Amino acid sequence: MSQVAVRKTTPSTVIEDYSKLMRSIDYQQYLPKDKKTIIKLNLSWSLYFPACSTEPWQLEAILKTMREDGYEDIVAMENKTVVTNPMKGARQNKWIPILEKYDVDFVPLTDVEWVDYKPKSEMLAMYKVFPDGFKIPKPFIGANVLHLPTQKTHGHTTMTGALKNAFGGLLRERRHHSHKYIHEVLVDLLSIQKEIHTGIFAVMDGTVCGDGAGPRTMIPEIKNYILASGDQVAIDAVSAKMMGFDPLSIDQIRLADGKSLGVGDVSNIEVVGEDISNVNYHFSTGESLVIQGDKLFRKGPLSFVEPILFHTPLFKVPIMASAGYHDYFWYPLVGKKRVNEFMKTEWGQLFKKYD
């Protein structure tokens, strides 16, 4: 039976609580010490927004724990998207000082070699998106991976967690083309992870969560939970249940469970630590204007425009529209107010201490 550890925490105890969380299900059994461990960060926005990307205390806690437990070969990685910049994101989200403190290099995936990869497993959708084949980062092959997602909603996938975090690691900038088959692609990526990685683990931050039109234009909600598991499907299923969703109604969880890539039925998952049987955040997933537009042109009534809009130089137009909307319209007019309110909380005060 798959295990998912869940623990309540506070700003004053979060570092210690993360260590107890990871050790409560013996995380070391999933991450062999004689192999390199890639910390796959989660960058949903170059700007800081609560619950949007890996939180600094989340990163510090796992690095402190791993260093104490004798892990020496650790590297942090994150990719570039058409609307994010990994180095800017690492600075804005306060990752750089923490990585320096624990002597861990930050390597943008734009700076590594990518190699052709032919999966051994049957793919559900990868060859629909990439009919000529695809590449993956060479450093990922033969290494452990530790995912650091946050608890939040997502307009394309209802919720996002450990499964979606691989999306930002194993695919290059063109991964936006996968949105048409996003659930199937996430299951394919889990199959690939199981082929190439020597160990897989996830530690999810739910201290502050994102409700509504995720993964960026959200309403931050403080919940004070943290989660960990060696089963990527199970941790997403438990997270989904906590948020108020039926895990098996979410396609990527149901499909992954059906392919025996993990456990999506919460009744078959052992939750270690907190009793979450009555936990329900009552979250609901919304769609930002950008995601609404993406769906309209990729799968909606205007899908006939997709080949021209997304597969020609015209794609620069929706990229500029997305960046402009999020960074120069929504963030200054709406997002900044939510960030300022968050900064008044104990978690916001903790974030400021990482300056």
Side-chain angles (χ1 to χ4, degrees):
M1 179 178 284
S2 292
Q3 291 184 323
V4 176
V6 181
R7 190 175 181 90
K8 289 281 284 185
T9 189
T10 68
S12 62
T13 63
V14 66
I15 303 300
E16 179 183 354
D17 287 337
Y18 262 117
S19 294
K20 292 177 178 177
L21 176 86
M22 295 168 67
R23 291 166 180 156
S24 70
I25 53 172
D26 189 17
Y27 80 97
Q28 296 182 56
Q29 68 176 304
Y30 301 100
L31 302 173
K33 287 183 185 176
D34 61 339
K35 303 294 183 181
K36 179 188 294 292
T37 297
I38 294 171
I39 306 299
K40 172 54 183 69
L41 297 158
N42 177 221
L43 182 66
S44 294
W45 205 343
S46 298
L47 301 176
Y48 177 73
F49 191 82
C52 191
S53 303
T54 299
E55 297 288 2
W57 50 84
Q58 181 184 10
L59 177 59
E60 178 175 23
I62 68 102
L63 290 181
K64 182 176 185 293
T65 302
M66 294 182 74
R67 288 302 196 205
E68 288 176 351
D69 291 340
Y71 284 85
E72 296 181 357
D73 196 356
I74 305 174
V75 61
M77 293 187 172
E78 181 53 300
N79 209 350
K80 182 181 186 299
T81 72
V82 292
V83 292
T84 62
N85 180 293
M87 289 308 302
K88 180 180 179 181
R91 291 190 295 269
Q92 292 286 321
N93 287 278
K94 311 289 183 72
W95 297 341
I96 297 299
I98 299 166
L99 295 170
E100 291 176 347
K101 178 179 178 180
Y102 292 96
D103 193 25
V104 173
D105 289 335
F106 177 65
V107 180
L109 287 170
T110 49
D111 296 346
V112 307
E113 180 182 358
W114 290 66
V115 296
D116 293 322
Y117 187 76
K118 293 183 178 180
K120 302 178 181 65
S121 308
E122 179 183 359
M123 296 286 99
L124 298 177
M126 286 293 284
Y127 289 116
K128 294 179 183 178
V129 182
F130 307 106
D132 298 324
F134 55 91
K135 296 177 183 290
I136 64 173
K138 188 175 181 180
F140 276 48
I141 300 172
N144 302 325
V145 66
L146 197 167
H147 292 289
L148 294 186
T150 59
Q151 269 193 307
K152 58 181 179 282
T153 55
H154 196 295
H156 282 301
T157 56
T158 304
M159 54 78 65
T160 176
L163 291 174
K164 183 69 166 56
N165 202 49
F167 190 70
L170 289 174
L171 295 177
R172 305 181 92 164
E173 287 182 53
R174 291 182 65 250
R175 63 181 177 271
H176 56 82
H177 295 314
S178 303
H179 287 161
K180 192 171 184 178
Y181 307 100
I182 186 64
H183 296 279
E184 292 83 357
V185 166
L186 294 183
V187 175
D188 287 344
L189 292 179
L190 181 56
S191 294
I192 292 171
Q193 287 186 85
K194 287 179 174 289
E195 292 177 6
I196 66 172
H197 291 307
T198 48
I200 309 173
F201 197 74
V203 178
M204 184 181 294
D205 190 90
T207 56
V208 54
C209 306
D211 183 22
R216 285 183 276 184
T217 57
M218 303 179 293
I219 300 170
E221 297 279 355
I222 292 174
K223 296 300 180 183
N224 297 322
Y225 281 104
I226 52 178
L227 302 82
S229 182
D231 183 333
Q232 312 303 284
V233 183
I235 193 172
D236 279 7
V238 170
S239 176
K241 179 184 181 299
M242 293 172 70
M243 286 191 274
F245 303 113
D246 172 9
L248 292 176
S249 72
I250 299 172
D251 287 349
Q252 75 262 23
I253 294 176
R254 177 180 53 79
L255 290 169
D257 179 272
K259 291 193 71 174
S260 298
L261 294 171
V263 181
D265 185 344
V266 177
S267 65
N268 294 325
I269 298 170
E270 179 187 2
V271 177
V272 178
E274 300 292 331
D275 179 4
I276 60 164
S277 55
N278 295 318
V279 173
N280 187 338
Y281 300 170
H282 298 287
F283 279 6
S284 60
T285 303
E287 296 178 357
S288 69
L289 289 177
V290 171
I291 288 181
Q292 289 179 36
D294 189 275
K295 288 185 174 181
L296 180 68
F297 288 106
R298 291 192 195 275
K299 297 187 286 188
L302 297 181
S303 58
F304 64 91
V305 180
E306 182 194 12
I308 298 173
L309 187 59
F310 292 104
H311 298 272
T312 71
L314 280 177
F315 185 56
K316 292 180 181 179
V317 175
I319 291 174
M320 292 173 62
S322 176
Y325 172 75
H326 285 110
D327 290 12
Y328 303 107
F329 178 77
W330 190 89
Y331 191 87
L333 294 181
V334 181
K336 192 64 177 176
K337 294 178 183 177
R338 295 180 183 176
V339 173
N340 289 339
E341 286 300 310
F342 170 75
M343 290 302 171
K344 298 175 184 177
T345 70
E346 289 184 296
W347 289 108
Q349 293 301 306
L350 178 59
F351 179 81
K352 291 180 179 179
K353 291 181 180 178
Y354 283 94
D355 286 332

